């Protein structure tokens, strides 16, 4: 028998990984996305060195010298300037990167785990559990995010944790639907039927055959969500439901600069730095994840496989 | 000859749900009362057009699609007690150890092999279900199975997409025999393959049947393909079996007009023979609402009044050659008169 | 017979992650007017790539690297040929579906599920036959068969313009404006009328009723007939059928083959290029056959010669592996599998699987040699083979 492909001696999984990486990084937007992400990751990891906190126990509290409401332009002491209340913008940006990752990872992780496990069970077994779960998901779909967030804040008080919880509680519904439809598609596939014929148990079929083949759309969605969750959290902070004043969160920093978006009539761009730095951070962070998500979608598109 | 499987009045209806309450309003009669004995060691070809219930028969026997009614008696080869599979649950089949005795090879090897598993793991999967294996021992066994289907140990650490269609089908066959089955349903195993590869797979299947004493149910739409491998052939039309005969008898003396249409419809790869072609009018009727009487009468060139009224039973015409046709005595004469010849060689 | 289509040394490559796939290697075939030419081979041998290259519908990452595709529409003037590979995309679009049309394997994919059958067949006329339809409508108005009522001057002007140049800017503007865009209505009606005509010519009795239906109401065989009707709408000189019957049931396939034969006899189709893997279909329908293997053309001959006296070892092996009515015993096989065309075997591409391969086969590419009577073979061992 002749080999269909001439293959070098290397582990097949490594070969597959190399091929996947090639497909991802063939796309220029993936390179841009991953470089941006690496940059933010670097900032978040090196935060204690880039901007040493004043109090070790509360690193997310932005330091401020004085209480003057008028922002001060960038200077040697505050290289990005200070915001209203003399909060140091540079410090906020650096530690805000950590906050952004925290929000994204927590919300996507929580929603992903709940969504994937429920969706797989519902899709694979079907029947009354599926029917019940999907009707419950329909109900969750009817809950407006803002109302839920306000309820939680009213009940448990203001704070970033509560906003993250609210986001996670509504976000999982996406994952359930996506993974369920994938699983239903796979359930009728012949290799799943073949496994059933061999007497493989349902749990093994799920972990060996169903999950590895259905996880890709979820990965794509999760990477897009990492960005959009940060936007949502920023919005909550902006309307005053999220992080408290002075907390190192980009959304909260935009909220601080709310009154200084437009300067005095003779110089409307006078306080540009108050809004520009946190704003551009949010934009680039979300852009990074969206570019990555796009690149993953192109790479995992089954129609384009093996070209 | 001892029987391995007996199908008795086997029916499979797929309900069509309608209305708000999702009540069944109608049903697709994919399989409408099949009686069939399958003997140990034979290869029974099941032939028919799409929608005739041939694949459903195979899947019903394996319980992939649980039958609506009827019995499937399975007589194990080791002389153990017989089981009625139609009434057993999956776990009961697993418990009594007959789950792995009934296997299947699917039509398209690209979809029947998990694209994210290595060949080694694909073939090891059924083995691991039977007993605990040491890693070295398992690998030797897998290589042994690969050798049996004409592949080598070099192919162990590859993914299915790195193989050609024929090689993939070999892998699928290896996986099926890894479960050490007695009975295998072959669902159009060669129709996704090229002619030259088709011959390879047919020869391989034939060799394995002799070597491992297997029993096959070979489902196909192509009569010439089963001619080479089957000992008996059953022809199906719209959920019913209409003719059942030894392969030689069927090719030499088909008794049902539909079988004649199938035989003459196959494009003949020999330009010297000018064989007649029986072109049937119209299409296969919907299995939602099959015609009354003989199901074939709407397209049959020789239909008479009784055909529209009475459903002909499957009766023994001669020496195990069964046919369901009211005019079975005169079919060959009628075909010869209308189309010139009733022989296809 | 005059030549209709001739490819000369056609080379097509696909640029993939694994490397460039040499899908076609100097393929030269020629089809005469009035001939049914069969192109057979296993999957991946390049038979579909050949016709796609001819039609210039190769999709990325495929690139036509070289060669010529000469198309001689007029049988009376065989010297007036045009090279399809250097034509503009615009000109190719006019040509496809008009002079050369194509039927694909899957009728479900070829028909749009949200349009009626009539609209889909009419599409062909609306794209290629606006001029002649406009002329006919004007003639009908003159003879009083239809009347435009009070809009007569406007519509007459429009159709006069359309019979000269259907893509005139004034007409295109009119088609965008409310109310005025209705000028095309009589033409649509004419197109649907013609569709009924072509469907009737295919031997379907209730054509007038059929054109109002949607594809999902039809059976597989009927859908394939509609696809054929669309392909034949503009009286093409060449009909390319790419595995047109492979997915159909045996009895339905028999119906379609019968139909094609019948149309051929009635001269409704002139030349057909049939692509198939089924040697039975070839034996029953074709006049001449080309056998392809791994991107090369191995053998071309008329049907009787090819089946009775095949010369190329691949053709012989292929013919032996086909199940037949009158042959008993084990089927002959071709050992091994089709090579990966990223690294095709050096020399003759069939040599790794060829029983008669010698040293020269491993080093040199065999050329297509003419044996007379239109029988040509690409093999180093022709002389020994003929004697056998």
């Amino acid at each position: 028998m002749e080999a269909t492909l001439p293959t070098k001696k290397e582990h097949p999984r490594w070969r597959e990984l190399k091929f996947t990486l090639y497909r991802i990084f063939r796309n220029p937007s993936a390179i841009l996305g991953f470089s941006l992400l690496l940059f933010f990751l670097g900032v978040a990891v090196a935060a204690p060195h880039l901007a040493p906190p004043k109090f070790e126990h509360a690193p997310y509290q932005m330091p401020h010298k004085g209480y003057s409401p008028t922002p001060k332009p960038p200077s040697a002491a505050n290289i990005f300037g200070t915001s209203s209340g003399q909060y140091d913008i540079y410090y906020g940006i650096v530690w805000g990167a950590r906050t952004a990752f925290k929000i994204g990872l927590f919300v996507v992780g929580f929603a992903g785990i709940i969504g994937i496990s429920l969706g797989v069970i519902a899709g694979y077994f079907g029947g009354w559990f599926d029917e019940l779960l999907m009707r419950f998901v329909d109900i969750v779909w009817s809950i407006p995010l803002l109302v839920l967030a306000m309820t939680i804040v009213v009940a448990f008080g203001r704070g970033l944790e509560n906003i993250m919880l609210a986001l996670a509680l509504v976000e999982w519904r996406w994952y359930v639907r996506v993974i369920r439809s994938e699983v239903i598609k796979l359930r009728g596939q012949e290799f799943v039927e073949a496994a059933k014929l061999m007497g493989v148990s349902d749990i093994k079929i799920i972990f060996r055959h169903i999950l590895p083949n259905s996880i890709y759309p979820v990965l794509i969605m999760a990477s897009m969500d990492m960005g959009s969750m940060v936007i949502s959290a920023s919005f909550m902070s902006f309307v005053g439901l999220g992080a408290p004043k002075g907390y190192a969160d980009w959304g909260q920093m935009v909220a601080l600069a709310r009154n200084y978006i437009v300067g005095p009539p003779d110089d409307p761009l006078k306080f540009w730095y108050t809004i520009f730095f946190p704003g551009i951070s949010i934009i680039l962070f979300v852009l990074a994840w969206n570019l990555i998500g796009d690149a993953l979608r192109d790479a995992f598109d089954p129609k384009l496989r093996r070209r | 000859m001892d029987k391995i499987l007996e199908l008795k009045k086997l029916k499979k209806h797929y309900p069509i749900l309608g209305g708000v309450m999702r009540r069944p309003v109608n049903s697709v009669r994919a399989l409408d009362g099949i009686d069939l004995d399958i003997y140990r060691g034979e290869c029974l070809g099941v032939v028919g057009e799409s929608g005739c219930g041939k694949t459903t028969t195979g899947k019903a026997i394996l319980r992939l699609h649980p039958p609506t009614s009827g019995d499937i008696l399975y007589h194990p080869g080791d002389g153990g007690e017989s089981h009625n599979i139609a009434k057993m649950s999956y776990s009961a089949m697993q418990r009594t150890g007959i789950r792995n005795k009934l296997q299947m090879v699917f039509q398209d090897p690209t979809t029947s092999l998990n694209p994210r598993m290595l060949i080694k793991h694909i073939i090891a999967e059924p083995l691991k279900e039977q007993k605990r294996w040491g890693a070295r021992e398992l690998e030797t066994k897998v290589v042994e199975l690969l050798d049996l289907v004409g592949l080598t140990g070099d192919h162990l650490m590859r993914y299915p997409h790195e193989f050609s269609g024929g090689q993939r089908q070999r892998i699928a066959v290896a996986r099926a025999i890894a479960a050490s089955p007695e009975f295998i349903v072959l669902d159009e195993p060669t129709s996704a393959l090229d002619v030259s590869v088709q011959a390879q797979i047919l020869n391989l299947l034939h060799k394995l049947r002799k070597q491992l004493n297997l029993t096959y149910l070979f489902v196909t739409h192509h009569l010439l393909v089963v001619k080479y491998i089957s000992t008996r052939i059953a022809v199906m039309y719209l959920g019913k079996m209409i003719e059942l005969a030894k392969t030689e008898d069927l090719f030499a003396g088909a008794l049902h007009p539909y079988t004649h249409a199938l035989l003459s419809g196959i494009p003949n790869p020999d330009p010297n023979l000018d064989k007649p072609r029986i072109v049937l009018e119209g299409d296969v009727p919907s299995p939602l609402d099959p015609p009354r009487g003989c199901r074939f009468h709407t397209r049959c060139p020789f239909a008479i009044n009784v055909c529209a009224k009475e459903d002909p039973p499957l009766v023994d015409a001669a020496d195990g050659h069964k046919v369901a046709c009211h005019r079975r005595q005169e079919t060959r004469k009628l075909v010869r008169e209308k189309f010139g010849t009733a022989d296809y060689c | 017979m005059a030549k209709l289509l001739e490819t000369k040394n056609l080379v097509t490559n696909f640029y993939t992650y694994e490397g460039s796939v040499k899908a076609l290697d100097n393929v030269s075939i020629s089809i005469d007017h009035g001939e049914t030419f069969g192109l057979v081979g296993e999957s991946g041998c390049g038979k579909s790539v050949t016709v796609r290259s001819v039609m210039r519908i190769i999709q990325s990452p495929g690139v036509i690297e070289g060669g010529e595709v000469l198309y001689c529409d007029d049988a009376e003037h065989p010297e007036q040929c045009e090279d399809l590979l250097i034509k503009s995309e615009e000109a190719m679009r006019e040509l496809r579906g008009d002079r050369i049309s194509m039927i694909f394997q899957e009728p479900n994919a070829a028909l749009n599920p949200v349009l009626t059958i009539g609209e889909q067949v009419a599409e062909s006329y609306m794209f290629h036959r606006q001029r002649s339809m406009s002329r006919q409508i004007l003639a009908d108005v003159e003879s009083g068969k239809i009347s435009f009522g009070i809009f007569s001057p406007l519509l007459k002007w429009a159709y006069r313009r359309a019979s000269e140049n259907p893509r005139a800017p004034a007409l295109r503007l009119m088609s965008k404006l409310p109310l005025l865009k209705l000028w095309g209505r009589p033409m649509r009606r004419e197109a649907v009328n013609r569709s009924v005509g072509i469907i009737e010519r295919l031997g379907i009795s209730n054509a007038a009723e059929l054109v109002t239906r949607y594809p999902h109401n039809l059976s597989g065989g009927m859908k394939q007939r509609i696809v054929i009707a669309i392909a034949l709408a503009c009286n093409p000189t060449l009909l390319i059928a790419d595995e047109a019957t492979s997915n159909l049931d045996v009895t339905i396939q028999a119906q379609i083959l019968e139909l094609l034969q019948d149309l051929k006899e009635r001269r409704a189709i002139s030349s057909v290029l049939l692509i198939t893997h089924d040697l039975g279909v070839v034996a029953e329908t074709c006049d001449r056959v080309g056998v392809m293997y791994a991107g090369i053309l191995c053998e071309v001959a008329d049907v009787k010669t090819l089946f009775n006296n095949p010369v190329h070892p691949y053709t012989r092996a292929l013919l032996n592996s086909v199940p037949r009515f009158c042959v008993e015993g084990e089927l002959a096989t071709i050992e091994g599998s089709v090579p990966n065309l990223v690294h095709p075997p050096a020399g003759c591409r069939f040599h790794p699987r060829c029983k008669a391969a010698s040293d020269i086969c491993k080093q040199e590419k065999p050329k297509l040699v003419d044996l007379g009577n239109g029988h040509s073979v690409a093999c180093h061992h022709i002389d020994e083979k003929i004697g056998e």
Side-chain angles (χ1 to χ4, degrees), chain C residues 280-330:
Chain C
V281 172
V282 171
E284 293 204 349
T285 52
C286 295
D287 303 323
R288 283 202 316 133
V289 190
V291 181
M292 288 190 73
Y293 178 79
I296 47 172
L297 191 67
C298 307
E299 185 161 7
V300 188
D302 64 89
V303 119
K304 285 248 161 86
T305 316
L306 191 97
F307 279 83
N308 294 335
N309 305 308
V311 170
H312 198 284
Y314 176 67
T315 317
R316 292 183 173 191
L318 192 66
L319 285 171
N320 280 336
S321 64
V322 179
R324 287 164 194 261
F325 278 103
C326 310
V327 182
E328 298 294 328
E330 260 203 0

Side-chain angles (χ1 to χ4, degrees), chain A residues 1-5 7 9-13 15-16 189-201 204-205 208-210 212-213 216 305-306, chain B residues 59 62 64-65 90 94 99 103-104 106 108 111-118 121 125-126 129 150-151 157-159 161-164 167 170 175 200:
Chain A
M1 271 282 156
E2 211 191 329
T4 318
L5 281 175
T7 39
K9 279 277 168 213
E10 52 185 347
H11 198 275
R13 294 204 197 283
R15 205 165 62 228
E16 282 298 292
Q189 286 275 2
E190 286 175 345
F191 62 84
V192 176
E193 290 196 336
K196 278 188 190 166
L197 282 180
M198 294 165 213
V200 181
S201 64
K204 275 192 207 157
I205 291 182
R208 211 180 278 160
H209 298 287
I210 301 274
N213 285 293
Y216 291 93
R305 190 155 172 83
R306 291 292 146 201
Chain B
K59 291 196 171 173
L62 301 177
L64 269 179
H65 294 179
Y90 256 72
Q94 183 77 2
R99 175 72 280 170
Q103 287 297 319
M104 180 157 177
F106 295 87
D108 188 354
T111 55
S112 69
L113 303 175
N114 186 344
R116 301 202 184 278
M117 269 167 90
L118 292 169
H121 300 307
E125 194 174 23
E129 288 303 317
L151 298 170
M157 298 303 268
R158 302 239 185 120
Y159 285 98
H161 64 75
E162 296 173 69
F163 292 89
S164 68
Q167 289 171 321
R170 284 171 195 268
R175 179 181 59 182
Q200 290 174 7

